C-alpha cells in the first residue's frame, strides 16, 4: 500500500494525498495516473481501477484542492470559496460509480471520473452538513491531514494515533526526559 487512510472518510483521506501542505515542498502522492488508480483500489472505492489518463489526474487534483479549500474555510469560519463550491458541485453532479451484485457480495465499477463524483458527493455532505462541525486538522505541525473528530469528548488531536499521535507523544516524552535530566 502506498496510500494512507487515517480519516475514516474517503473524501478527507483523498485530501491527504498531498502531504505536509505547509512545508516548502509538500509530498505529492498523486504524481502519475497510476498513483490515482492505486488510490482508488487501496481505498476500496473500486476493486479494480479503470486506467486513468493524465486528464483524469488533473481532474482529481482539482477535486482534491477544492475539497481542501472548502474544509479549510469551514475550519476557519470563513465563507466557502465560490470557485471550489462550483468545482465540487459540478463533479458531484456527474454520474456516480455503478454498484453491482457479485458472487462475492457487491462491488462498484466505473470510470475515474465516476469515482471522483463519489468523492465529491461525500465531500458535499460533509462540508454542507452537520459533520462540518466535527472537522479538524491534525495537530502535528508537519501534518495537514483533515479528519472528522467523532471521539466521545471531541478532543482528538491527531489524524491517526498510529502515526502522528505516536510521534507527538514520543516527542513529548523525550522532551520531558531531557528536562528532567537538566
Amino acid at each position: 500500500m502506498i496510500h494512507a487512510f487515517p480519516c475514516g472518510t474517503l473524501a478527507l483521506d483523498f485530501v491527504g494525498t498531498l502531504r505536509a501542505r505547509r512545508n516548502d515542498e509538500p509530498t505529492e502522492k498523486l504524481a502519475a495516473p497510476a498513483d490515482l488508480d492505486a488510490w482508488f483500489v487501496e481505498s476500496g472505492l473500486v476493486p479494480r481501477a479503470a486506467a486513468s489518463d493524465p486528464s483524469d489526474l488533473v481532474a482529481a487534483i482539482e477535486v482534491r484542492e477544492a475539497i481542501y479549500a472548502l474544509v479549510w474555510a469551514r475550519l476557519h469560519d470563513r465563507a466557502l470559496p465560490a470557485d471550489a463550491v462550483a468545482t465540487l458541485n459540478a463533479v458531484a453532479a456527474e454520474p456516480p460509480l455503478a454498484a453491482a451484485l457479485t458472487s462475492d457480495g457487491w462491488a462498484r465499477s466505473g470510470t475515474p471520473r465516476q469515482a471522483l463524483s463519489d468523492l465529491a458527493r461525500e465531500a458535499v455532505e460533509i462540508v454542507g452538513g452537520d459533520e462540518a462541525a466535527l472537522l479538524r486538522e491534525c495537530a502535528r505541525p508537519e501534518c495537514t491531514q483533515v479528519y472528522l473528530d467523532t471521539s466521545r469528548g471531541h478532543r482528538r488531536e491527531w489524524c491517526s494515533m498510529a502515526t502522528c499521535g505516536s510521534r507527538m507523544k514520543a516527542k513529548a516524552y523525550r522532551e520531558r526526559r531531557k528536562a528532567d535530566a537538566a
Side-chain angles (χ1 to χ4, degrees), residues 105-117:
W106 71 279
R108 294 181 200 97
S109 63
T111 67
R113 300 297 173 115
Q114 289 173 295
L116 291 175
S117 178

Side-chain angles (χ1 to χ4, degrees), residues 39-122:
W39 192 92
F40 287 147
V41 172
E42 290 174 20
S43 71
L45 196 57
V46 293
R48 286 173 300 289
S52 296
D53 63 33
S55 70
D56 294 325
L57 181 60
V58 169
I61 291 171
E62 184 179 16
V63 167
R64 178 189 70 195
E65 295 309 307
I67 295 170
Y68 183 74
L70 295 167
V71 167
W72 189 93
R74 283 287 189 238
L75 285 170
H76 296 93
D77 294 321
R78 302 274 169 80
L80 298 178
D83 57 338
V85 169
T87 296
L88 210 57
N89 284 341
V91 174
E94 293 179 17
L97 292 167
L101 190 58
T102 70
S103 59
D104 297 325
W106 71 279
R108 294 181 200 97
S109 63
T111 67
R113 300 297 173 115
Q114 289 173 295
L116 291 175
S117 178
D118 278 16
L119 293 173
R121 289 165 193 255
E122 183 180 39

Side-chain angles (χ1 to χ4, degrees), residues 161-181:
M161 189 60 206
T163 55
C164 292
S166 178
R167 289 176 187 164
M168 292 300 288
K169 286 186 174 219
K171 179 181 176 188
Y173 174 78
R174 286 190 304 274
E175 288 172 356
R176 281 193 310 273
R177 297 279 296 178
K178 187 176 178 181
D180 289 346

